[in-house]
Amino acid sequence: MLQNQNRPKTFLVTGATGFLGSHITANLLSAGHRVIVLARSKNGQTAKNRVLQLMNWFGLKKSECTELTVLEGDLVHPGLNLEPGSLQLLAGQVEETVHCASDTSFSARRRKQVEQTNVQGLINLFKILERSSTRKFHLISTAYVAGSNKGLCREDFVHPAGFNNVYEETKLLGEHIAAEKCARSNVVLLIYRPSIVYGDSTTGRTLLFNALYYPIKTLRFFQKLYLKDILENRGNKAEAMGVSLLEDGTLHLPVRINGTGSSWVNLIPVDHFVKAFMAIGEEKKAEGVFHIVNPENTEIHQLLKYITQYFHLSGVRIAGKDTFDKKPKNALELLFENYIRVYSSYMRDTRVFEHAKTSRFLAGKNIRCPDFTYDVFSTCMRYAEEVDWGRR
Amino acid sequence: MFSEKIRKTAAQCRHYAMCKIDYLDTGICSSGKENHFVSHFPQGRMDIYDALAKDLIPITQGLVEIVNSCDLCAVCDTQCHFVTGMRPVQVMKALKEHVQDFISSGKKPVNVESDEILENLRMIVGSRWAENDPAILVAYANDPFPLAELRMPGYVALPGSRDEVSELVRFAGSRKIPYVVRGNGGSVFGFVFSDGLVIDMNRMKKIEIDTENWTALVEPGVTSFELQREAVKYGLRANTAEPAATVCGNIVCTGLFSTWAATYGVNSDSFVDMEFVDHEGEIFRLNEPDAPNSFCYQNRLSTAPGICTLAHVRLHPTTNDEEGLIVPFSGFEEAVDFAAEMNKRRIGLALGILGGHYLSTFMSPSADLADKVRSCLGDTLGIKYALFMIGDRFDREAVSSLREPLIDQELFRMFMLGLPGMADTEWIELISGMDGDNPPFETILRPEMRPLLDAVLNPSPETAARAVDEDLRDFYTELYSRPEMTDMVWLNMFRIISARMSRKKHMFAFLIYVPLNRMDVIKEICAELKRIADAQGIENDFGFLTPIDLGKRAILEYDYYIDHQDPEEKEKIRRALTEFDPYLDKISASTKGVKLLKYIFSQGCARKEAFLYI
């Protein structure tokens, strides 16, 4: 955990039960800050229990969370559904706000819900903060607000011609709303734009198994399904799909992934994101947009190589469109296609994210984004398997 | 000593009377079959145990006979479990043990004295078929309707013929004895109680099929299931209601309706003629020129023209290419529009939109699995509503050309037999992660996906049986090996799985005829019923909607679910009643085409045109 270089401050963190929000909360507490979080109760668990459970995951005992205050509230409601006492607390004590709460769905059919959280939630939050002592607003956005822009994506406010999904669109709208509100109230605004975040590069630990993990989890599901069929049920269902077990124990899984090998993904480990966030956030003069991205992209064929090597798979390959014209997609490919269609702008990325400003800040603090090597990948997959992809 | 756990099970009997029909081909309770009184069926024994535990009845000679006639064959256990998830054999055992202990302790059962009225009733129906023993009567005093209180009749009689019915009515009239009629001995709506005489029609079970006219003569003790089973032997089909409900009772009470109503119509569309014994004991047929005009409709609470002693019902032809089809939807409006369009274009023999609760409950052999499947269908796959259709190949081709993907018979069977796999956590996670613009079912249900579904679900009778208690798995495996148990046509004709709708809790159903072109009205009714229930903390859900009369009207069902044994829940429904009753009355009176079933009660013989278009 990072140590606080400055005096302890009081932060309000939204989205503290989310992936990045929980990391930030834990790190702020470890750094000696006081943290007020806004959270919802869920599945019969109170907001407080949810947050404390998460802090425990980070190794913070209850006794180490004395500077943590959990307010039960909901961004999508005007007034955030907060008690008058809680509103008073926010008004009088919050010095900096970290807004992590976000609906990360890309689905057009969930547009209303995404807009509610990512846009209306932010507006509701600012309405409360207008009356507070907040002087700094940290907005966790995404590098992909660049939308359908091609080539170099500027580390600045952008105005893309279009978007790949409702998430990008609402996140960018959020940036503009934040800029306008902060300018009006003379609040310093810092916008952090991470690319695709995966687990901790040294331990593999993660709370979330989506984004990078989902397609791998899907392949792993197929692998286990057909191995079971082959080993326990004569393998008829595997045979029907052209799946076979090779002599060396490798499972041949004929899955063609529509795309080109020359595209890439930009991946950063969560530990790097947190380090970068803390370093930038503490910098007194820091302001504006920061691309927290990996200077080195990972090519898709490289990622595929890692996956097949680690999980002892063969037959999974990148294939051009004409291949599918000759032989229609099978069930496994259709499922993949469904995923790829939604994430295509990330899985087939040819964009490059400008990062000079952030890199300059981070270089001064000796922070460098770890490479996405096979070792790092293996560490992450080992952890994923250990915790059964988040089920344990 | 009474076990409270067993008493609670006994008190949960839904009175669906499924233990009275041989719907699983296991045979039925031999005691009930021979003695006909409800008290001799498992349903009655459940009521008896509850009443004994509450000290409402003594141990009588009649009760000893009831208990002795039960051989603990456990047929009721599988029958009841299939629809309610309950295991009544433990109640049968406990009842037997209690009475045996009583006798072993040297106590004497009460010998209930006959009286002059009983003697007269026995003169009419035969000495075996009239009773005043409280153990027998208590099975006619109870009803799962939450607002109904226990009301013991004085007598119960089981006539064997129309003339006996007539004599019973004359006798009751002459002695001013109030009477009510129960078709199959059971009741769920809280109406059929009397301090006087209950006339149970269970002995009148004749069915005569007229193969030339495609009709059947049906006596009042015949259930829908029994008529359908007979009609099928001749390649015909009846428009039937719930399987254990009697055909005559259903016609007279509310008129017949089901998903088949989309083609076969409702109310007077169902029959050719009906025979009644009127309140004076006179016999008449509706088609006689001077008979009371039961084809007309009066917009008020009404009484039946008499006791139906015979229904001459229409049967319908079938073709050998009929199959079921389910069209999934993520939105209600889209589903309703599609159903209306189908009916307008005369596509589909049976049509009905089902909500997630019905679909998952009907398909699942256990309540737990139903909950998981419902979540998987609705939240994961995005199937919030489904249009269920039975049609011939032309119908199915028409639907396929209009919309895809579909759940055809093959896929339905795969789902039914692989249902536990559908609720698998990893599989659900996988689909949930498909964050596409369209609901996941649009991908998952594509024909190309079947090999993968086959691997994931691993459909087989053994897989389906995994959903039930271990000791029932062999039974369920054998049951699900029978093709009809996964055949949408058979299941919709015999309706044995729709009886599962009250499995979790007793159901309080609102049935309302609605104008199908008034989406605003349909949605408002659903929203208002939901609002009222939510305000009281009552579980509630959309039930079904079936288009009728070429898409002009529809039957809408919205359901409240309550534990009828829980006083708090009763209170909730009582409070809700003060809101939904005036609301439904108002909308029924003010909106063309809206007609609450309450106002059709006892006018089931009316022409639909007489109440649908006023």
Side-chain angles (χ1 to χ4, degrees), chain B residues 38 123 291 329 489 492 510 576:
Chain B
V38 178
M123 291 271 285
F329 292 91
V489 178
N492 196 48
F510 298 92

Side-chain angles (χ1 to χ4, degrees), chain B residues 508-542:
Chain B
F508 194 100
F510 298 92
L511 283 144
I512 307 158
Y513 284 99
V514 289
L516 201 43
N517 61 338
R518 292 288 306 275
M519 186 70 76
D520 57 331
V521 171
I522 296 170
K523 283 171 74 177
E524 190 214 297
I525 291 172
C526 293
E528 187 58 11
L529 289 174
K530 178 173 172 47
R531 186 197 64 74
I532 294 168
D534 287 347
Q536 299 298 339
I538 298 170
E539 278 181 47
N540 64 96
D541 209 339
F542 165 80

Side-chain angles (χ1 to χ4, degrees), chain B residues 277-583:
Chain B
V277 169
D278 73 10
H279 305 297
E280 308 296 325
E282 296 294 328
I283 295 157
F284 69 91
R285 284 177 181 263
L286 289 187
N287 283 349
E288 287 167 356
D290 51 353
N293 183 4
S294 292
F295 294 106
C296 79
Y297 171 76
Q298 297 178 75
N299 193 25
R300 60 176 171 79
L301 296 176
S302 187
T303 53
I307 301 173
C308 176
T309 44
L310 194 70
H312 187 184
V313 297
R314 297 173 65 187
L315 300 176
H316 306 275
T318 59
T319 59
N320 60 10
D321 58 349
E322 289 172 358
E323 270 186 24
L325 201 61
I326 292 174
V327 191
F329 292 91
S330 53
F332 182 63
E333 284 187 37
E334 208 187 354
V336 173
D337 286 344
F338 193 80
E341 196 63 21
M342 292 293 96
N343 202 217
K344 227 182 270 179
R345 292 175 185 273
R346 301 172 175 81
I347 300 170
L349 284 164
L351 287 173
I353 297 168
L354 308 177
H357 172 73
Y358 269 31
L359 199 58
S360 54
T361 302
F362 292 178
M363 288 172 78
S364 308
S366 77
D368 278 353
L369 183 60
D371 283 345
K372 290 178 191 156
V373 167
R374 183 181 184 184
S375 163
C376 176
L377 289 175
D379 303 335
T380 311
L381 286 171
I383 304 175
K384 302 282 186 190
Y385 299 92
L387 174 68
F388 174 85
M389 185 193 87
I390 301 292
D392 61 18
R393 73 183 168 91
F394 301 106
D395 291 325
R396 296 197 305 282
E397 279 168 18
V399 176
S400 305
S401 68
L402 289 166
R403 200 175 163 93
E404 60 178 7
L406 305 165
I407 300 172
D408 61 11
Q409 175 55 48
E410 182 196 299
L411 189 54
F412 178 77
R413 179 161 288 147
M414 205 181 249
F415 281 161
M416 282 283 277
L417 296 181
L419 217 53
M422 202 196 271
D424 174 77
T425 317
E426 285 190 51
W427 172 240
I428 285 176
E429 272 177 21
L430 186 77
I431 305 170
S432 302
M434 289 171 54
D435 197 19
D437 290 345
N438 300 321
F441 75 77
E442 292 191 10
T443 303
I444 300 296
L445 301 183
R446 283 173 62 166
E448 304 96 301
M449 295 299 290
R450 300 225 174 148
L452 177 61
L453 283 177
D454 188 38
V456 170
L457 302 178
N458 195 22
S460 71
E462 290 80 6
T463 303
R466 265 173 35 207
V468 301
D469 299 342
E470 212 164 335
D471 65 319
L472 290 175
R473 285 186 190 161
D474 286 348
F475 172 78
Y476 272 84
T477 300
E478 205 176 306
L479 189 69
Y480 279 112
S481 303
R482 283 157 44 186
E484 71 268 25
M485 286 294 153
T486 51
D487 175 3
M488 282 193 266
V489 178
W490 191 91
L491 290 172
N492 196 48
M493 281 170 66
F494 287 93
R495 297 184 62 172
I496 66 167
I497 54 174
S498 59
R500 285 174 169 164
M501 60 197 161
S502 288
R503 178 166 51 196
K504 220 170 169 185
K505 282 182 176 183
H506 178 65
M507 193 179 76
F508 194 100
F510 298 92
L511 283 144
I512 307 158
Y513 284 99
V514 289
L516 201 43
N517 61 338
R518 292 288 306 275
M519 186 70 76
D520 57 331
V521 171
I522 296 170
K523 283 171 74 177
E524 190 214 297
I525 291 172
C526 293
E528 187 58 11
L529 289 174
K530 178 173 172 47
R531 186 197 64 74
I532 294 168
D534 287 347
Q536 299 298 339
I538 298 170
E539 278 181 47
N540 64 96
D541 209 339
F542 165 80
F544 75 88
L545 182 139
T546 284
I548 57 169
D549 215 14
L550 298 175
K552 283 181 288 213
R553 296 287 184 260
I555 308 159
L556 166 71
E557 179 171 322
Y558 197 92
D559 303 312
Y560 286 3
Y561 295 91
I562 53 156
D563 179 348
H564 63 282
Q565 291 294 319
D566 181 346
E568 275 183 36
E569 297 248 299
K570 282 186 187 188
E571 204 39 52
K572 284 180 188 174
I573 202 85
R574 203 185 298 279
R575 284 196 299 266
L577 179 77
T578 61
E579 282 202 75
F580 63 65
D581 224 25
Y583 166 72

Side-chain angles (χ1 to χ4, degrees), chain A residues 184-197:
Chain A
R184 195 185 296 170
S185 329
N186 207 20
V187 170
V188 175
L189 173 65
L190 290 95
I191 296 176
Y192 306 82
R193 288 185 187 156
S195 55
I196 299 171
V197 186

